[in-house]
Amino acid sequence: MPNPNQKKNHFLFLSPENCSEKIVISLTESVYSIGRHSDSNIKLYSEAVSRNHATLIRKDVGKDNSSYILIDGDLKGQRSQNGIVVNEKKTIYHQLEDGDIIMFGSSEIKAIYKQENALSEYFPFCDLNSKIQQNNIALSSELTREQLQNTLILSEENLNQNLSQKDIKRLASFPELSPNPIIEFDLNGKIIYSNPAANLCFSELFNEENITNPLIAGLTRNTNQINGELIIREIKIKDKYFDQYIHYLSKQNVIRSYIFDITKRKISEKKLKYQAFHDSLTGIPNREFFYWKLEQYLNNVKTNNEQLAIFFIDIDRFKNINETLNHTTGDKLLENFSYRLVSNLPEDCFLARWGGDEFTVIVPLKDNLPRINQIAQKIINSLKEPFIIKKYTIYVTCSIGVSIYPKDGLEEKTLIKNADIALFRAKQMGKNNCQFYTTQLSGEQMLLFELENSLYNALDNQELFLNFQPQLDLNTNKISALEVLLRWQHPDLGVVSPSKFIPLAEETGLIIPIGEWVLETACLQGKKWQDLGYPKMVIAVNVSVKQFQQDNFIQQVKNILHKTQFNPEYLELEITETILMQNVDKTEIIINELSQLGVKFSLDDFGTGYSSLSYLKRFPFNVVKIDQSFISDLAINEQDQALVSAVITLAKGYKMKVVAEGVETDNQKKLLKQLKCDFIQGWLVSKPFREEDLLAFLNKLIN
Ligand code: C2E
Ligand code: CA
Ligand code: CA
């Protein structure tokens, strides 16, 4: 039996603003969901609180104690709208400590987390609290230990009241008819009374030597401790779990106990705990579990002065596999990949799925550094055999990044980050290899690494915004179109150019959600300006290769047009030659189908790729954009002049408009006019604008 004096009890004191009442919740379960959702275990009634705002997970600390981890959002990784703040610091993951002050959403709902130590204070207290929570009654004053003690003693004294025969009969039927077992035994462990439910439930136990009977064990010797008090303990008998409420009746010198079967609750708790710490696809431990384990491993190696390695493993080109085959095959591959890792790792290693196609491993080393290469090589070699999934034979390789405690870091976070940096190097070295962490990542590599890491949150953190660059119609001198140019307001690095992060977004697959966001936001803007009465202008949106190649691109554009109610006639999609060349037939279908809706297409950066002018004939482009590299030297380079002139003549023959990009000088504009170019875009007309500056610019033109 665990020493009850050591066990901590956990409470959450909730105090909604403008409300003098306090709600006290005794935390006994292993997982709590907190939020506005009707299924939440702890419901918070405030507009500022999300439906699944936060989650509490019990964490065992040492043998007898536990604490709670507070996570922003739910266990599926869905974050809350307004976040959580602990001790005035915004956080998404926090191990609670006694006295921590938590704000949910805004300052409207405040909670204080408390740990209470002594046994004698807790059970009656907990009981009261759970009632308070259920009935939503508020506890305005705190009950002291003495008050509770007195209540118990008073009720024992009440038993001495003169009761009528009728009363006694009625009272006697209570235990007899109770569906829950009740037993009474003396201080030697001899059973004095057991109700029918107890006889039914524990019939074999009553034949046993009483002292080893789990219902009695440990109680008779500790009577001093429980004298006059109610204690509760959890016991396990065969496969079942019970809460045993034990009450020592000092006058009669007997111990009475009420027993409740809690097996169902325990099983669902275990299931929840399992789900909270394991990845649902592969069944192996998840990221949270990894963090906890790493903490334990580190404590161990610190005391023993040993070394330890962290592996960061990533499947090479998984995104391609996932996109080329379908996602169920991708999932199956991840599952099989994780089995292969499990079967190739020594037993003392700890494997977890970090997320996506990334896995992490803790490798204890003691003093055996060569172990790292042995294990890494074993993993890499194990992938020489292909995976057979359905009808596919799939060959994969992986890259591994390694960091070592204590050389590369002392803390969990540093070690993980450095293993990740090492992985990045492994990828840059051509994949299918293992790299150790070194600080010698070049400035450019470091920047790319930082960018890639923070790009994952850019959309969620609303760090992306749009700029608009006008195109001037040289015949009418009016703005005919606006090109939408994406910008990223990086928290540390300032505004990052799309030429830096679009390639990263392509590589990581993030271009899909980002591209969708750009398109929708651009259409919304266009619609808004039209509704405000600005002259109708085409909104030109850049589309990247991956985005264009996704299976549902046509549907995505249709959905966005429908949702934003933006007239398709004013939407222009800018695509590059690379898109055309990737899959000519597919591209033709997409362009044709969207053209039928009225959507326009322009061929961007014309002249920089390898495509011949014959592409112009095959695809129904509305616009050709001549790349700025041909414009910058236009005045001095006769070849450029000849090419620009040829493109303009040809495009006009196909009834396509020509836009010259990157026009910076009056001289360039004059030459382009002479060459019969109809539209120009560039700093001469204006730099790309933020919305408010654009409107000021347009207003000046109108007035
Ligand atoms: P792009 O489509 O060729 O866009 C024109 C680029 O030239 C823009 O750079 C623009 O700011 C710049 N520019 C405009 N006028 C002048 C000028 O007179 N002189 C010079 N030197 N430059 C000028 P930006 O905004 O940095 O965009 C770079 C590239 O990033 C774009 O090239 C485009 O390929 C890509 N990009 C931008 N936004 C998006 C987007 O939303 N989605 C995708 N997939 N790609 C985007
Ligand atoms: Ca463009
Ligand atoms: Ca361009």
Side-chain angles (χ1 to χ4, degrees):
M1 176 179 167
N3 178 357
N5 286 327
Q6 275 188 12
K7 233 178 177 167
K8 292 238 164 73
N9 299 285
H10 309 266
F11 299 99
L12 211 56
F13 290 73
L14 282 171
S15 47
E17 213 188 30
N18 306 328
C19 177
S20 59
E21 300 167 337
K22 250 193 234 153
I23 297 165
V24 188
I25 295 157
S26 149
L27 302 171
T28 52
E29 306 285 319
S30 53
V31 180
Y32 286 92
S33 56
I34 305 175
R36 244 182 332 111
H37 198 288
S38 55
D39 288 344
S40 299
N41 308 115
I42 300 177
K43 288 183 209 63
L44 300 181
Y45 303 99
S46 161
E47 278 310 309
V49 169
S50 303
R51 287 163 65 76
N52 300 307
H53 199 102
T55 310
L56 278 175
I57 302 176
R58 188 165 62 211
K59 173 186 181 185
D60 292 326
V61 185
K63 205 162 128 273
D64 287 316
N65 280 328
S66 57
S67 156
Y68 277 86
I69 304 269
L70 178 67
I71 296 174
D72 182 28
D74 63 17
L75 289 173
K76 290 181 213 112
Q78 184 87 32
R79 297 260 170 80
S80 72
Q81 274 275 306
N82 300 319
I84 43 181
V85 172
V86 180
N87 302 333
E88 299 185 348
K89 261 206 197 131
K90 198 156 180 169
T91 179
I92 54 167
Y93 179 98
H94 178 85
Q95 180 168 341
L96 289 173
E97 285 177 11
D98 190 26
D100 276 350
I101 298 174
I102 310 160
M103 304 280 200
F104 295 98
S106 63
S107 53
E108 270 177 48
I109 296 195
K110 184 169 126 184
I112 300 175
Y113 168 78
K114 294 288 286 174
Q115 290 186 349
E116 299 290 350
N117 225 339
L119 170 78
S120 46
E121 284 174 6
Y122 65 101
F123 278 115
F125 195 36
C126 291
D127 251 357
L128 279 173
N129 286 339
S130 53
K131 268 188 219 129
I132 286 160
Q133 230 260 308
Q134 277 161 20
N135 306 335
N136 236 348
I137 305 165
L139 182 77
S140 49
S141 67
E142 288 180 27
L143 282 167
T144 62
R145 179 189 162 179
E146 285 71 28
Q147 282 171 317
L148 288 161
Q149 192 76 59
N150 290 342
T151 324
L152 285 173
I153 292 164
L154 272 178
S155 56
E156 205 185 331
E157 273 167 3
N158 288 347
L159 292 173
N160 293 341
Q161 284 171 0
N162 287 334
L163 296 169
S164 69
Q165 278 299 320
K166 210 170 136 203
D167 283 339
I168 291 170
K169 256 194 186 159
R170 189 172 54 81
L171 287 172
S173 71
F174 275 103
E176 287 293 300
L177 296 178
S178 161
N180 294 312
I182 300 170
I183 55 170
E184 236 175 43
F185 43 92
D186 65 17
L187 298 185
N188 297 318
K190 186 168 164 268
I191 292 176
I192 300 168
Y193 170 78
S194 58
N195 74 346
N199 296 339
L200 202 68
C201 214
F202 307 116
S203 56
E204 319 103 274
L205 282 178
F206 294 153
N207 304 329
E208 276 180 23
E209 230 353 79
N210 279 350
I211 221 73
T212 57
N213 186 328
L215 292 164
I216 297 169
L219 289 179
T220 47
R221 269 172 288 123
N222 292 331
T223 38
N224 279 346
Q225 243 181 23
I226 59 171
N227 192 4
E229 292 173 12
L230 172 74
I231 63 169
I232 307 179
R233 65 175 186 178
E234 196 180 296
I235 51 174
K236 189 176 176 209
I237 300 177
K238 300 212 172 113
D239 291 336
K240 296 196 151 206
Y241 293 89
F242 300 91
D243 264 350
Q244 186 179 20
Y245 287 62
I246 303 143
H247 199 169
Y248 173 63
L249 303 173
S250 50
K251 296 258 158 56
Q252 288 103 322
N253 253 348
V254 293
I255 299 168
R256 179 180 294 168
S257 84
Y258 304 85
I259 298 140
F260 301 92
D261 189 338
I262 55 161
T263 313
K264 267 197 195 143
R265 194 188 84 202
K266 285 299 270 190
I267 289 174
S268 62
E269 259 178 33
K270 274 194 177 163
K271 215 161 114 195
L272 268 178
K273 204 167 171 179
Y274 186 87
Q275 283 167 354
F277 298 113
H278 289 80
D279 168 49
S280 56
L281 177 68
T282 60
I284 64 173
N286 62 13
R287 191 188 289 211
E288 273 79 35
F289 200 173
F290 183 81
Y291 260 114
W292 294 5
K293 260 287 181 250
L294 183 56
E295 203 182 314
Q296 286 175 8
Y297 270 81
L298 281 177
N299 283 341
N300 242 327
V301 291
K302 277 175 191 168
T303 3
N304 301 332
N305 264 335
E306 291 172 355
Q307 303 188 73
L308 176 143
I310 308 282
F311 282 21
F312 223 115
I313 306 175
D314 183 289
I315 305 179
D316 297 330
R317 300 184 190 84
F318 179 74
K319 300 237 158 46
N320 284 351
I321 301 171
N322 210 17
E323 276 155 24
T324 327
L325 310 172
N326 52 40
H327 287 252
T328 30
T329 316
D331 281 356
K332 267 268 164 286
L333 178 64
L334 284 173
E335 233 177 293
N336 289 351
F337 182 83
S338 72
Y339 298 152
R340 201 161 295 181
L341 285 180
V342 171
S343 51
N344 281 285
L345 283 168
E347 272 195 358
D348 59 343
C349 295
F350 183 86
L351 169 74
R353 182 168 174 213
W354 187 255
D357 60 334
E358 292 179 326
F359 295 81
T360 42
V361 190
I362 306 171
V363 181
L365 296 175
K366 298 210 165 101
D367 286 326
N368 184 1
L369 277 173
R371 195 174 192 225
I372 298 176
N373 273 329
Q374 288 156 12
I375 296 177
Q377 222 40 59
K378 193 163 178 212
I379 294 172
I380 289 174
N381 288 340
S382 77
L383 297 175
K384 288 193 173 141
E385 280 286 306
F387 291 93
I388 315 282
I389 293 165
K390 290 185 213 153
K391 53 185 194 288
Y392 306 108
T393 304
I394 308 171
Y395 284 88
V396 301
T397 56
C398 74
S399 301
I400 305 176
V402 182
S403 69
I404 301 167
Y405 169 90
K407 182 172 82 61
D408 302 331
L410 303 176
E411 305 292 326
E412 292 97 323
K413 285 220 168 85
T414 327
L415 285 165
I416 291 168
K417 182 171 181 226
N418 290 345
D420 197 12
I421 290 179
L423 172 67
F424 185 78
R425 271 185 65 231
K427 292 271 176 197
Q428 298 231 315
M429 306 283 250
K431 313 192 163 77
N432 194 23
N433 72 105
C434 168
Q435 290 294 322
F436 288 79
Y437 170 74
T438 74
T439 43
Q440 281 146 18
L441 219 51
S442 73
E444 176 72 2
Q445 281 177 330
M446 202 63 209
L447 177 73
L448 283 178
F449 179 76
E450 293 282 339
L451 283 182
E452 186 177 323
N453 270 345
S454 40
L455 189 57
Y456 284 92
N457 298 322
L459 244 189
D460 284 350
N461 294 350
Q462 303 181 349
E463 290 162 11
L464 299 180
F465 66 94
L466 299 182
N467 265 357
F468 304 89
Q469 189 176 36
Q471 285 169 16
L472 182 74
D473 184 334
L474 288 176
N475 298 318
T476 61
N477 221 16
K478 289 202 165 113
I479 301 302
S480 54
L482 297 169
E483 179 176 1
V484 177
L485 294 163
L486 180 60
R487 295 289 177 265
W488 176 16
Q489 181 73 48
H490 190 282
D492 304 322
L493 303 166
V495 178
V496 184
S497 153
S499 26
K500 278 243 159 1
F501 72 86
I502 294 280
L504 284 177
E506 285 252 345
E507 213 171 283
T508 51
L510 284 169
I511 192 67
I512 305 292
I514 291 179
E516 192 175 353
W517 178 86
V518 171
L519 193 60
E520 184 172 334
T521 315
C523 289
L524 266 179
Q525 280 291 5
K527 169 82 174 129
K528 187 176 121 190
W529 293 329
Q530 289 191 356
D531 289 349
L532 284 173
Y534 285 94
K536 294 203 164 151
M537 290 166 295
V538 166
I539 302 288
V541 179
N542 290 287
V543 178
S544 79
V545 183
K546 274 250 177 85
Q547 196 186 350
F548 197 80
Q549 297 290 347
Q550 55 177 324
D551 284 339
N552 62 348
F553 183 69
I554 296 179
Q555 198 50 48
Q556 192 182 88
V557 177
K558 285 183 180 172
N559 289 348
I560 289 177
L561 285 168
H562 178 75
K563 193 169 157 193
T564 58
Q565 290 294 301
F566 185 59
N567 183 347
E569 299 280 342
Y570 289 96
L571 176 64
E572 185 175 296
L573 300 179
E574 297 200 358
I575 62 178
T576 57
E577 292 165 72
T578 343
I579 293 186
L580 294 184
M581 287 156 68
Q582 289 263 327
N583 187 340
V584 180
D585 295 335
K586 195 172 170 188
T587 307
E588 196 168 11
I589 293 172
I590 298 178
I591 295 186
N592 282 332
E593 185 161 348
L594 288 176
S595 292
Q596 278 171 15
L597 292 180
V599 176
K600 310 278 182 295
F601 282 87
S602 66
L603 184 54
D604 201 0
D605 300 344
F606 190 78
T608 53
Y610 309 96
S611 71
S612 62
L613 294 172
S614 64
Y615 275 124
L616 288 183
K617 196 164 133 198
R618 177 158 182 183
F619 298 101
F621 287 109
N622 306 84
V623 178
V624 178
K625 297 186 80 173
I626 304 178
D627 189 68
Q628 46 183 290
S629 56
F630 298 98
I631 308 299
S632 52
D633 292 342
L634 201 61
I636 45 170
N637 189 328
E638 283 182 7
Q639 262 177 337
D640 284 354
Q641 270 188 34
L643 186 123
V644 171
S645 166
V647 172
I648 293 173
T649 314
L650 193 83
K652 287 202 162 171
Y654 290 127
K655 305 229 167 353
M656 296 173 188
K657 294 183 197 163
V658 179
V659 178
E661 290 190 282
V663 180
E664 296 178 356
T665 65
D666 273 323
N667 204 13
Q668 290 166 349
K669 179 177 168 184
K670 211 170 84 200
L671 274 171
L672 286 162
K673 248 187 161 166
Q674 280 168 13
L675 295 172
K676 301 257 173 327
C677 178
D678 299 319
F679 301 87
I680 58 168
Q681 179 183 346
W683 296 348
L684 182 70
V685 181
S686 95
K687 289 212 167 176
F689 284 124
R690 281 179 186 256
E691 189 195 357
E692 45 295 4
D693 300 329
L694 174 78
L695 293 186
F697 174 82
L698 293 178
N699 285 334
K700 234 198 296 175
L701 285 188
I702 296 169
N703 298 324

